[in-house]
């Protein structure tokens, strides 16, 4: 029997609920179902639905879209969401992930002014990771820049590979803003890379979160590398669609991002000298007219049929869009606003002695 031309990895492609802003969390579930995403990552922020575990469960059940990850409320605009104590925020994010069946909690390194939290952060994340099967995947950030000035806003460091964590999240919009070598960072993460935020950027001081393929980051190269490894995390589309002129344009962008991701996840497994054949569904969800920086390489996309929602006694929850944006950038500058069983993780853990109880609050 001939070997298949393409092997598609097990990684699931999810939609971040932040990608539909200024639409609501509820709208993100609807779009994810319609376009054929494998699930969603819930950004916990000022939308009340994003903070309500039962409301999220009803949305997930209604649209038949699983919640694969929870992004803890680490942004400037979420300083009072789920408590002002950063450790309580992480404890609540873990509890939400456990109750919703999500495998990952995404967390940013502390702001530098959160001194006690920053001082205890590395050992505290290890303690929390030891108390659950949920992954705490710490995300790379970037220096804040304004004109010719640069401020290091995160501690211990915006480059999370300089510290010892069990799992990492890599964000390619953040590598663009940091003007760092994305593939070099991924090499340093090694088999502790547990989660991916897929977006693009051009190296602006702003955290751009462009549709993959519209910037300078190695989005395709990263996906093709994942397809050839034992990566067992999720790939989350986290793009900025705030400037979309209509709901149709926003949906076209999110469909294009999904098509790009599935295409390049499938490509690298092609045998040398053969033409990459994209399996059925690799480009699902891209409506006619969706823009693409790689349209010459990608086959025409066709709309995917989302699952039919199961009728429920009451409609899923909705909430008005909050007045602020879930940007990683501070308002004053428009910019800054391994697998647990791997040998790397086991060796790394030897230097830590987790406490018997939870982490210390700041």
């Amino acid at each position: 029997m001939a070997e298949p031309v393409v092997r598609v990895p097990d990684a699931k492609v999810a939609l971040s609920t932040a990608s539909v802003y200024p639409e609501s969390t509820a709208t993100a579930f609807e779009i994810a179902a319609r376009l054929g995403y494998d699930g969603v990552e819930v950004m916990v922020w000022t939308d009340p639905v994003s903070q309500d575990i039962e409301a999220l469960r009803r949305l997930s059940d209604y649209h038949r879209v699983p919640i694969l990850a929870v992004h803890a409320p680490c942004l400037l605009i979420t300083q009072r969401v789920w408590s002002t104590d950063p450790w309580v925020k992480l404890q609540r994010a873990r509890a939400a992930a456990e109750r919703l069946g999500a495998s990952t909690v995404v967390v940013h390194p502390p702001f530098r002014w959160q001194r006690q939290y920053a001082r205890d952060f590395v050992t505290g994340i290890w303690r929390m990771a030891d108390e659950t099967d949920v992954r705490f995947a710490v995300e790379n950030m970037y220096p804040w820049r304004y004109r010719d000035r640069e401020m290091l806003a995160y501690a211990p460091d915006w480059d999370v590979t300089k510290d010892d964590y069990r799992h990492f999240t890599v964000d390619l919009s953040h590598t663009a803003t940091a003007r760092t070598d994305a593939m070099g960072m991924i090499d340093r993460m090694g088999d502790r890379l547990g989660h991916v935020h897929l977006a693009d950027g051009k190296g602006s001081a702003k955290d751009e979160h462009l549709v993959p393929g519209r910037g300078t980051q190695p989005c395709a190269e990263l996906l093709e590398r994942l397809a050839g490894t034992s990566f067992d995390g999720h790939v989350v589309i986290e793009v900025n669609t705030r400037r979309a002129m209509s709901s149709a344009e926003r949906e076209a962008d999110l469909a294009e991002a999904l098509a790009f991701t599935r295409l390049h996840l499938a490509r690298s497994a092609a045998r040398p000298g053969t033409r990459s054949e994209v399996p059925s569904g690799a480009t699902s969800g891209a409506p006619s007219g969706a823009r693409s920086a790689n349209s010459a390489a990608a086959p025409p996309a066709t709309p995917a049929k989302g699952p039919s929602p199961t009728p429920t006694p009451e409609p899923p929850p909705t909430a008005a869009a909050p007045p602020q944006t879930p940007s990683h950038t501070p308002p004053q500058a428009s910019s800054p606003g391994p697998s647990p069983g791997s040998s790397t993780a086991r060796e790394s853990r030897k230097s830590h002695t987790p406490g018997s109880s939870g982490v210390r609050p700041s």
Side-chain angles (χ1 to χ4, degrees):
M1 181 182 294
E3 295 182 3
V5 174
V6 169
R7 177 181 64 82
V8 181
D10 294 332
K12 294 182 178 179
V13 183
L15 178 66
S16 168
T17 59
S19 295
V20 306
Y21 181 85
E23 300 290 346
S24 67
T25 299
T27 300
F29 279 85
E30 179 185 346
I31 292 175
R34 186 158 55 245
L35 296 184
Y37 277 84
D38 298 318
V40 299
E41 174 180 301
V42 174
M43 170 71 80
V44 180
W45 58 305
T46 55
D47 182 344
V49 171
S50 75
Q51 305 170 30
D52 186 330
I53 294 175
E54 289 308 313
L56 292 170
R57 191 197 306 280
R58 292 199 302 272
L59 281 167
S60 178
D61 291 345
Y62 182 86
H63 292 289
R64 298 182 184 177
V65 174
I67 297 170
L68 302 180
V70 173
H71 195 309
C74 306
L75 308 180
L76 284 173
I77 65 168
T78 60
Q79 293 298 290
R80 296 186 177 278
V81 172
W82 278 2
S83 170
T84 57
D85 183 330
W87 289 120
V88 172
K89 291 173 182 282
L90 296 191
Q91 289 162 357
R92 292 189 64 172
R94 178 189 66 192
E98 290 171 343
R99 290 175 60 186
L100 294 169
S103 63
T104 303
V105 168
V106 179
V107 56
H108 293 179
F111 292 113
R112 189 166 291 276
W113 56 83
Q114 296 174 301
R115 294 182 182 178
Q116 186 62 46
Y117 178 48
R119 198 159 29 240
D120 297 339
F121 185 69
V122 178
T123 54
I125 289 294
W126 275 94
R127 289 193 201 103
M128 295 195 74
D130 281 334
E131 297 169 353
T132 181
D133 291 330
V134 173
R135 294 178 173 181
F136 281 87
V138 186
E139 183 174 2
N140 63 297
M141 299 305 291
Y142 47 83
W144 289 0
R145 294 189 181 93
Y146 182 65
R147 296 181 179 174
D148 59 346
R149 297 182 180 182
E150 180 174 294
M151 183 176 78
L152 301 179
Y154 298 96
D157 204 284
W158 63 264
D159 181 351
V160 293
T161 64
K162 292 182 178 179
D163 291 287
D164 180 22
Y165 301 107
R166 182 178 292 175
H167 290 103
F168 294 107
T169 295
V170 69
D171 185 306
L172 292 192
S173 177
H174 295 177
T175 58
T177 305
R179 300 169 190 168
T180 193
D181 176 6
M183 297 308 293
M185 177 173 284
I186 290 163
D187 287 339
R188 294 193 298 277
M189 291 178 174
D191 60 2
R192 289 183 290 171
L193 174 61
H195 199 67
V196 173
H197 279 172
L198 193 67
D200 217 331
K202 298 180 179 179
S204 166
K206 298 179 180 180
D207 186 16
E208 298 170 287
H209 285 273
L210 304 177
V211 170
R214 297 185 188 175
T216 61
Q217 295 304 288
C219 297
E221 184 180 352
L222 166 61
L223 294 169
E224 291 169 9
R225 178 178 295 192
L226 294 180
T229 68
S230 57
F231 177 74
D232 62 350
H234 306 309
V235 178
V236 177
I237 304 300
E238 189 184 67
V239 297
N240 183 346
T241 63
R242 282 176 291 169
R243 295 186 179 181
M245 300 301 292
S246 65
S247 296
E249 184 178 343
R250 173 176 295 106
E251 195 162 318
D253 284 347
L254 298 177
E256 179 185 327
L258 177 61
F260 179 100
T261 303
R262 287 192 170 146
L263 173 64
H264 289 286
L265 277 174
R267 259 187 184 163
S268 73
R271 294 175 302 195
T274 63
R275 177 176 63 86
S276 293
E277 295 179 4
V278 182
S280 175
T283 58
S284 66
S288 171
R291 298 190 305 274
S292 174
N294 299 295
S295 56
T302 57
K305 295 181 179 179
S308 301
T310 302
T312 57
E314 55 182 323
T318 58
Q324 295 173 289
T325 166
S327 170
H328 296 306
T329 60
Q332 63 269 28
S334 287
S335 65
S339 149
S342 70
S343 60
T344 306
R346 288 195 300 270
E347 292 171 4
S348 177
R349 290 181 61 185
K350 292 178 183 178
S351 61
H352 298 277
T353 306
S356 59
S357 61
V359 292
R360 295 197 305 270
S362 60

